[in-house]
Amino acid sequence: MTNSPVPPAGPQRVLALAQLSNSVGDGAYYTTSALYFTQVVGLAPARVGLGLTVGWAVGSLVGVPLGRFADRRGPRGTAVLLALATGLAVASFTVVRGFVPFVLAACVYAAAQSGLAAARQALLAGLVSAGERTGLLAHLQSTLNAGLAVGAGLGGLALHAGTRTAYLAVFTLDAVSFLVCAGLLLRLPSVPPVPSRRHGGLGVLRDRPYAVVALLNTVLLLRLPLLSLVLPLWITRRTDAPAWLVSALFVLNTGAVMLFQVRAARGVTGLASATRAVRRAGWVMLAACGVFAWSAGASLWVAVGFLVVGAVLQVVAEMGQSAGSWQLSFDLAPEGRVGEYQGLFGTGVTIARTLGPLLLTALLVEWGTPGWLLLGGAMLAASYAMGPAARRAAAGRVREEVRQPETVPVN
C-alpha cells in the first residue's frame, strides 16, 4: 500500500471515482437537506427528525437481505440498481409536499443507501484480493471526505442564495451523482454470483460471534454524531470558545482523513494487527473524551486549545478504528457471503447515526464531564472486547469451512 491518496489504476480507481461522484452529491445534500425540508417543503423540524429516523430504521433492517441478494444475484448489477434507486429517491424529495410522502421517500432512500453499501463491499471483495481490501477502503474513505468537502462547499452556496431554486439544484446534483456512480460501476468487471448455501432463515444473524463483533463496532461508531451534532452543542453551550470553531474542527477532521487515512491503514494486514489498531484507538478515544471535557469552564483560548487537541485525538482514533474494523469485517466473513455479512456490519453506522444523537446529547451536553468519561470508558471497553470476540468468530469460521455445508445452485 502506498501513501498516495489516489488508488492504483483499474477497478480500484473506478471504485474510487464512483465513491467521489456520490460523495460530492451527498455533501451538498447533507448541508442543505434540513433547511430544505423545513423551509421549502414546510415540515416541522420534529417531523423531519421522525421521518429520517423511521427511514434509517428501515434501512438498518433491509441491509442484510439486500446484501444477501447481491451475493446471490451478482454484486455489480445489484449495486447499479441500488445506485439508480438512491438517485430516484433523492429526486422524489423535490416533489414531496407532505409528511407521509416524505417518510416514504426517506424509507426508500435509506434502504437503497444501506443496500448499496453492502453490495459495493461485496463487489470490492470480488474484484480486489484480500490483502488489498483494507488499503483500498482507506483510499475510498479519503475520497469520501474529499467529495463531502467539495459537496459541502456547493451546498454552502445554495444556503447563501437561500432560494427554492438553489435547493432544488442541490437535490438534482445529488440525484445525478448517483446516476454517474451507477455508470461508473457498470464499467467494472462482473463478479459472478455465488452458489446458495443452506444456512437457515436467519442467515448471518445465526453467526453470533460475528454479530458480537458487529455490536462492539457499533459502540465504537458512537463517535459519528460527535462532530456533526454533539461538539457544536458542547462548544456553544458549555464553553467560551467561538461558534466558528465548529467549522474549523470539521475542516480539520476532513482534511486529516483525506491526508492520513491511507497511511493509518498501512500496518493493518490481518486479524492481530486489526485488533491492535482498534485497541489503540480505544485509548486515544478515551484521551479525546477527557480533553473535550476539560474545555468546559476554561478561559476562551484555553478552551479552544483543548477542543483542537481533542479533535486531533478524535480523528486519530477514528482512522485507527476504521482501518481495524474494515479488516475484521472482511476477514471474518465467509467467502460468497460478503454482501450479507457487510449488510449486518453496516447497520452499525445506521444505528449510531439514528440513536447516537439522542443518547450522546443527553450523556455529554446535559451531563457534562462524567458523561464524557463514561463514553470514553465504554469505547475503551469495547475496543478491548473486540480481540476475544474476533478470535472466537475466526475460530467459528474455521469450523464452518471444515464442515462445508451443502450448496444449492442459483436459478
Side-chain angles (χ1 to χ4, degrees):
M1 187 196 311
T2 67
N3 291 327
S4 171
V6 180
Q12 296 193 34
R13 189 167 297 175
V14 175
L15 285 167
L17 289 172
Q19 178 78 290
L20 179 64
S21 169
N22 64 252
S23 63
V24 169
D26 277 348
Y29 167 81
Y30 294 147
T31 305
T32 59
S33 58
L35 291 180
Y36 171 78
F37 292 132
T38 55
Q39 296 183 3
V40 177
V41 179
L43 297 174
R47 287 201 156 197
V48 173
L50 175 61
L52 293 176
T53 298
V54 171
W56 285 113
V58 171
S60 69
L61 294 176
V62 303
V64 170
L66 287 176
R68 183 183 301 153
F69 183 85
D71 292 331
R72 302 297 171 255
R73 299 300 177 185
R76 188 188 69 170
T78 303
V80 169
L81 289 176
L82 289 171
L84 294 174
T86 306
L88 289 174
V90 173
S92 72
F93 284 134
T94 65
V95 296
V96 298
R97 293 294 180 269
F99 178 65
V100 173
F102 166 69
V103 173
L104 294 175
C107 288
V108 174
Y109 173 80
Q113 282 275 50
S114 297
L116 176 59
R120 289 210 291 197
Q121 298 292 67
L123 181 59
L124 182 153
L127 295 175
V128 180
S129 65
E132 296 178 308
R133 290 171 188 169
T134 296
L136 175 57
L137 285 166
H139 282 295
L140 296 182
Q141 186 71 4
S142 177
T143 302
L144 171 67
N145 277 262
L148 290 175
V150 173
L154 296 174
L157 295 177
L159 292 175
H160 179 71
T163 64
R164 173 184 172 85
T165 300
Y167 285 120
L168 292 179
V170 165
F171 278 71
T172 301
L173 169 67
D174 195 21
V176 171
S177 76
F178 280 96
L179 299 183
V180 174
C181 173
L184 288 167
L185 293 175
L186 276 174
R187 294 176 53 191
L188 293 167
S190 178
V191 174
V194 297
S196 177
R197 294 184 176 184
R198 301 186 186 278
H199 293 284
L202 294 177
V204 63
L205 297 179
R206 298 179 66 220
D207 190 340
R208 283 176 289 184
Y210 190 91
V212 169
V213 171
L215 177 62
L216 293 171
N217 188 63
T218 301
V219 175
L220 298 174
L221 288 173
L222 287 175
R223 59 175 170 75
L224 291 176
L226 286 179
L227 197 63
S228 60
L229 176 67
V230 176
L231 280 176
L233 293 175
W234 176 262
I235 288 171
T236 55
R237 295 187 183 185
R238 289 287 198 138
T239 78
D240 292 327
W244 56 259
L245 188 63
V246 172
S247 176
L249 296 183
F250 180 84
V251 172
L252 185 154
N253 180 279
T254 304
V257 173
M258 287 186 337
L259 295 173
F260 301 115
Q261 180 66 78
V262 174
R263 184 188 298 271
R266 286 189 69 188
V268 180
T269 56
L271 188 67
S273 57
T275 55
R276 283 197 301 270
V278 171
R279 192 162 55 244
R280 286 194 300 268
W283 280 109
V284 178
M285 195 65 209
L286 175 62
C289 289
V291 173
F292 283 136
W294 288 337
S295 65
S299 62
L300 189 154
W301 291 110
V302 172
V304 169
F306 279 139
L307 290 165
V308 170
V309 172
V312 170
L313 291 171
Q314 189 268 328
V315 74
V316 170
E318 173 186 337
M319 292 187 289
Q321 186 264 325
S322 295
S325 66
W326 294 330
Q327 187 76 35
L328 293 174
S329 71
F330 279 105
D331 281 2
L332 299 176
E335 290 296 326
R337 301 179 68 192
V338 174
E340 180 183 356
Y341 272 62
Q342 289 294 324
L344 176 64
F345 207 81
T347 59
V349 174
T350 304
I351 294 171
R353 291 197 182 280
T354 302
L355 300 180
L358 178 63
L359 174 63
L360 296 188
T361 299
L363 185 67
L364 305 179
V365 180
E366 301 300 330
W367 202 10
T369 298
W372 279 108
L373 297 179
L374 180 59
L375 175 65
M379 290 190 169
L380 180 62
S383 71
Y384 265 80
M386 188 68 84
R391 288 191 291 272
R392 184 183 175 196
R397 185 69 53 247
V398 171
R399 290 193 295 271
E400 180 180 334
E401 291 172 355
V402 170
R403 284 197 298 267
Q404 292 183 340
E406 176 186 357
T407 63
V408 295
V410 178
N411 294 327

